[in-house]
Amino acid sequence: MSQPKTQLDLDLLSINTIRTLAIDAVQQANSGHPGAPMGLAPVVYELWQKYLRYDPADPTWPNRDRFVLSAGHASMLLYATLHLAGVRAVNSHGKPTNEPAVSMDEIKRFRQIDSKTPGHPESHLTAGVETTSGPLGQGAGNSVGMAIASKWLAENFNRPGFDIFDFNVYAMCGDGDFMEGVCCEAASLAGHLKLSNLCWIYDHNHVTLDGPAEWSFSEDVMTRFVGYGWNVTRVADANDLMMLGRAYDVFLKTKDRPTLIVVDSHIGYGSPHKQDSYEAHGEPLGEAEVKLAKQNYGWPEDAKFLVPDGVYDQFKNGVGKRGADAHSSWNAKYADYAKQFPQLADQLNRMQSGQLPDGWDKDLPSFPADAKGMATRESSGKTLNALAKNIPWLVGGSADLAKSNKTNLTFDGAEDFYPHEYHGRNVHFGVREHAMGAIVNGMTLSKLRAFSATFFNFSDYMRPAMRLGALMEIPAIYIFTHDSIGLGEDGPTHQPIEQLASLRAMPNMMVLRPGDANEVVEAYKIAMQHTHGPCTMVFTRQAMPTFDRTKYAPASGVAKGAYVLADAAGGKPDVILMASGSEVTHCVDAYEKLKAEGIKARVVSMPCWEIFEKQDAAYKESVLPSIVTARVSIEMASTFGWERYTGPKGKIIGMHSFGASAPLKDLLKKFGFGADSVVAAAKSVLGK
Ligand SMILES: Cc1ncc(C[n+]2csc(CCOP(=O)(O)OP(=O)(O)O)c2C)c(N)n1
Ligand SMILES: [Mg+2]
């Protein structure tokens, strides 16, 4: 191949290196999408080389610009870029190393077992991957959370002369992203909030997997985004670096709203043979087509995984040098800042390493015994407020149900997060549950302790984002109230049934459904200290008793996931009664009734199955002795999964249908809940 002479030659050589690495990796894996990386290579190259403030030597630099590949199927585009830019790996303590984040070996092992180059980008596996994308629209949603975090951090931590935070967030999206609801919700909120640090790039390539995009997508995206309050600009040819640069400049100059750059590209550009072909762009090209594409790029057609001379240096002298300079002047500034504002620096350091401030759990409420008690949404609100007062970076809000969810932070100085008023702690997500989930994930990835809130039934609207939170192993907090048919009159459209079971089935999701106000406090303590996965917090609308902990076991038992709340004399029960949440009280009442009749029962409160499953065998046996096979569980939810604890001889009281619209007392009767049901089931399993 001919030697590059000019800067333009070097640009094109680098772009074609990204393309051919993607082509070769997809071909070798015999799986993956080469089309989008081929089309988008110049767009990403121009951004990284000339605009992204990113130090490849430290992908954890808190003020780095974020690059999110929402079109995660184009993962090789990201891997090739991370490789060529020389982005470093990060060790288990979160510190950068001298190893590459994506070595050439890893590129050759694209989509293979235990590689750093899985089919879609996964942020917990590969340094430099800002978020896990793949389910279309999620990355775009995350990017809004990151942009919110950047604004919030700037407002709360910058001081005159010390712009510690001003990072921008770029997200690369395709037709698929723009068709997804979550993306539309997120764009709507980003426009409303006037997030000027957010730039989405739309790969307008007229094609999706099934064929021409026009088969299913013909709206005017640009007009839509103008309607959302975005600044919209267009680049007519994805290969035109100068016009791409102008578009990025427009973004940087736009200070009052987010920017959408629509880039017209042709999938597989560079390979004239496939240029107008819609078939199979989501598949390996095949050996013959690979050769033709390479010919067209002026590439040696038999060379594989070729990085021509000068390409690594090109990145080193571009993004590498710019990033290193920006990072080192930031470091110098930060050192000064830490001297002048040691408290703020301490907070930032803790935030970055996932620690909490000293005294984070001081002044947490403690609730006196009370037969009437209170709803756990109520005790949740009080606990959340106490925690947020102690943890300055606990930030979040609700999807238009804050008053019902009791998640408003009401202490002095909590304030609201509004357009151009970005210091407040209360984010108003509006009625956008799905985007809320993705946004809270993006905020969490930016090191805030972020929470969302809505009714438990609408966890279904958030579930794809929650699932990614679990996959990414990030400590997002998803708060839900109105957790069962116990919510009453709103009826079956609002009454969750299978949500508990389905979220318990999700790997790495911790589901906490505390049984009284003091269990709520304990549950939050667990959530705040949980660093490698999200927590789903499940609370009631209806009041329930606060147990007398001098009579029953302390609520600290929540830390083990399940614990003996009330026991038979001598710790030798004949029957075990189990429940979580508002049904624990049904068990306690049944226990007292059985006791009065001389029947020896034990009550096990089970607020968190996942934590209980992690206890050693001895503890589990001490709570649920295998010799006691007479067992009853009760939950106003799907019975699915309880067999594990009740065993073949036990009885499970639960919901087998949707609920109904009625006052709670009538629902309890209709669906067979309450202490009497537990008593009857206990007698039945005891053969009485
Ligand atoms: C939520 C979701 N649905 C479906 C898919 C499968 N999928 C991957 S790429 C793609 C087509 C996307 O089209 P576009 O975004 O235009 O990308 P292009 O084919 O142009 O690269 C689909 C349907 C997915 N990844 N996520
Ligand atoms: Mg497309």
Side-chain angles (χ1 to χ4, degrees):
M1 56 201 292
S2 60
Q3 286 299 311
K5 295 174 197 76
T6 65
Q7 189 55 45
L8 268 181
D9 287 347
L10 270 171
D11 287 337
L12 190 59
L13 190 72
S14 304
I15 290 164
N16 285 338
T17 307
I18 296 175
R19 287 174 163 148
T20 50
L21 283 177
I23 291 172
D24 287 339
V26 169
Q27 192 59 35
Q28 174 139 316
N30 197 23
S31 136
H33 301 247
M38 290 160 77
L40 288 174
V43 184
V44 169
Y45 173 79
E46 179 72 8
L47 176 64
W48 276 67
Q49 267 301 76
K50 305 197 191 126
Y51 291 89
L52 201 71
R53 281 177 306 171
Y54 189 91
D55 180 8
D58 184 0
T60 72
W61 174 26
N63 196 38
R64 69 190 183 278
D65 283 350
R66 269 51 169 190
F67 174 73
V68 171
L69 182 67
S70 193
H73 58 283
S75 56
M76 261 315 300
L77 177 65
L78 181 55
Y79 299 146
T81 306
L82 294 175
H83 172 73
L84 295 171
V87 175
R88 303 282 104 185
V90 170
N91 66 21
S92 57
H93 305 292
K95 297 281 173 246
T97 68
N98 282 327
E99 301 299 312
V102 178
S103 66
M104 183 56 89
D105 277 349
E106 294 292 345
I107 286 191
K108 291 179 181 165
R109 295 195 332 105
F110 179 49
R111 293 182 161 236
Q112 304 309 300
I113 192 87
D114 294 335
S115 76
K116 297 275 182 217
T117 48
H120 297 84
E122 295 187 48
S123 59
H124 69 294
L125 291 181
T126 315
V129 172
E130 298 286 4
T131 184
T132 295
S133 55
L136 294 168
Q138 292 290 335
N142 298 150
S143 74
V144 174
M146 294 172 185
I148 287 175
S150 177
K151 293 286 190 194
W152 188 89
L153 287 164
E155 281 298 314
N156 285 282
F157 286 90
N158 290 357
R159 290 294 179 269
F162 291 99
D163 284 347
I164 297 302
F165 288 102
D166 58 1
F167 65 83
N168 292 320
V169 183
Y170 299 87
M172 176 75 80
C173 310
D175 299 296
D177 289 292
F178 282 90
M179 280 189 258
E180 290 290 355
V182 61
C183 190
C184 306
E185 293 175 17
S188 160
L189 186 60
H192 166 75
L193 289 172
K194 305 187 186 305
L195 299 174
S196 60
N197 56 349
L198 180 66
C199 179
W200 284 3
I201 304 152
Y202 173 20
D203 176 26
H204 187 232
N205 67 0
H206 313 276
V207 58
T208 63
L209 284 192
D210 272 358
E214 67 189 20
W215 283 359
S216 56
F217 195 42
S218 51
E219 74 211 27
D220 183 342
V221 172
M222 295 182 72
T223 302
R224 174 152 71 91
F225 272 69
V226 169
Y228 286 150
W230 288 54
N231 182 32
V232 180
T233 183
R234 186 164 202 159
V235 174
D237 176 3
N239 293 288
D240 188 338
L241 299 186
M242 201 183 72
M243 291 310 285
L244 286 168
R246 278 200 197 167
Y248 293 134
D249 287 333
V250 166
F251 160 62
L252 292 175
K253 283 191 200 122
T254 303
K255 298 295 179 202
D256 57 347
R257 56 211 154 126
T259 295
L260 173 69
I261 303 176
V262 179
V263 180
D264 288 300
S265 75
H266 285 280
I267 199 118
Y269 178 89
S271 165
H273 309 271
K274 282 228 163 176
Q275 189 160 328
D276 295 317
S277 149
Y278 295 116
E279 91 226 22
H281 74 275
E283 295 167 10
L285 295 181
E287 293 293 351
E289 188 64 27
V290 167
K291 284 189 182 179
L292 290 171
K294 286 183 179 168
Q295 278 175 14
N296 191 57
Y297 296 143
W299 225 245
E301 60 173 47
D302 292 322
K304 292 220 161 103
F305 300 102
L306 174 67
V307 180
D309 286 349
V311 170
Y312 288 119
D313 281 344
Q314 174 73 354
F315 280 89
K316 209 181 271 171
N317 298 331
V319 59
K321 176 147 180 7
R322 261 186 334 99
D325 289 350
H327 189 192
S328 73
S329 59
W330 186 90
N331 280 345
K333 194 174 6 174
Y334 188 71
D336 261 6
Y337 175 86
K339 273 191 213 122
Q340 287 198 38
F341 309 102
Q343 264 186 322
L344 294 180
D346 175 64
Q347 290 185 5
L348 285 176
N349 295 344
R350 285 172 191 258
M351 207 187 297
Q352 292 305 315
S353 57
Q355 293 169 281
L356 298 168
D358 291 339
W360 66 271
D361 57 351
K362 69 173 190 281
D363 304 328
L364 293 186
S366 159
F367 298 93
D370 180 356
K372 198 165 141 276
M374 67 173 74
T376 46
R377 64 171 167 160
E378 205 68 65
S379 42
S380 159
K382 293 184 197 305
T383 311
L384 185 68
N385 267 276
L387 283 165
K389 233 172 150 174
N390 299 338
I391 307 170
W393 55 95
L394 183 57
V395 183
S398 166
D400 202 45
L401 288 168
K403 290 195 189 92
S404 279
N405 300 141
K406 309 285 179 197
T407 46
N408 270 330
L409 303 179
T410 53
F411 51 89
D412 266 358
E415 298 185 17
D416 297 288
F417 188 93
Y418 286 139
H420 292 312
E421 287 176 47
Y422 298 123
H423 58 281
R425 310 273 295 275
N426 290 292
V427 181
H428 301 284
F429 291 104
V431 192
R432 302 181 182 91
E433 293 82 7
H434 196 174
M436 172 170 69
I439 290 169
V440 159
N441 288 349
M443 293 164 71
T444 306
L445 286 162
S446 312
K447 307 292 184 183
L448 302 186
R449 290 307 305 267
F451 64 89
S452 64
T454 182
F455 291 162
F456 192 37
N457 202 39
F458 306 143
S459 62
D460 288 349
Y461 273 46
M462 284 177 63
R463 192 181 166 89
M466 296 170 71
R467 186 170 192 275
L468 283 169
L471 176 57
M472 288 191 276
E473 302 177 4
I474 56 170
I477 299 170
Y478 312 119
I479 298 172
F480 298 101
T481 66
H482 298 60
D483 70 343
S484 74
I485 59 163
L487 65 84
E489 292 82 346
D490 270 342
T493 62
H494 282 46
Q495 291 164 338
I497 302 291
E498 75 283 10
Q499 284 68 17
L500 259 182
S502 80
L503 285 164
R504 282 172 178 153
M506 189 180 280
N508 204 36
M509 176 61 76
M510 201 130 95
V511 181
L512 291 135
R513 185 171 184 253
D516 80 343
N518 290 304
E519 284 197 11
V520 167
V521 179
E522 297 301 319
Y524 267 108
K525 284 197 214 163
I526 292 166
M528 292 318 303
Q529 294 176 89
H530 189 56
T531 51
H532 284 85
C535 288
T536 291
M537 316 294 287
V538 186
F539 303 121
T540 63
R541 169 180 181 263
Q542 76 276 21
M544 51 205 254
T546 305
F547 298 121
D548 180 352
R549 298 286 171 169
T550 60
K551 191 167 166 199
Y552 304 117
S556 54
V558 174
K560 303 231 171 194
Y563 67 104
V564 178
L565 178 63
D567 208 0
K572 295 235 177 312
D574 292 326
V575 59
I576 301 176
L577 316 175
M578 298 172 255
S580 79
S582 48
E583 291 70 74
V584 177
T585 185
H586 300 189
C587 291
V588 170
D589 290 350
Y591 162 92
E592 296 293 353
K593 288 187 179 192
L594 290 167
K595 193 169 164 186
E597 293 183 39
I599 295 173
K600 290 159 67 181
R602 162 181 289 189
V603 176
V604 174
S605 175
M606 299 195 80
C608 183
W609 290 16
E610 295 79 13
I611 298 177
F612 183 60
E613 286 304 323
K614 287 196 186 118
Q615 304 307 311
D616 60 29
Y619 179 76
K620 288 192 216 167
E621 175 67 20
S622 77
V623 175
L624 301 176
S626 34
I627 190 170
V628 186
T629 57
R631 300 175 176 198
V632 175
S633 77
I634 178 167
E635 225 171 36
M636 294 197 283
S638 162
T639 58
F640 196 91
W642 272 105
E643 311 78 9
R644 178 193 300 193
Y645 299 117
T646 53
K649 298 192 176 138
K651 261 204 153 50
I652 307 173
I653 305 172
M655 289 296 293
H656 302 277
S657 67
F658 293 110
S661 168
L664 174 58
K665 63 176 192 345
D666 298 326
L667 292 169
L668 293 177
K669 213 163 119 198
K670 178 177 169 75
F671 292 108
F673 293 97
D676 290 342
S677 305
V678 179
V679 167
K683 287 184 178 165
S684 141
V685 291
L686 285 167
K688 293 188 186 196

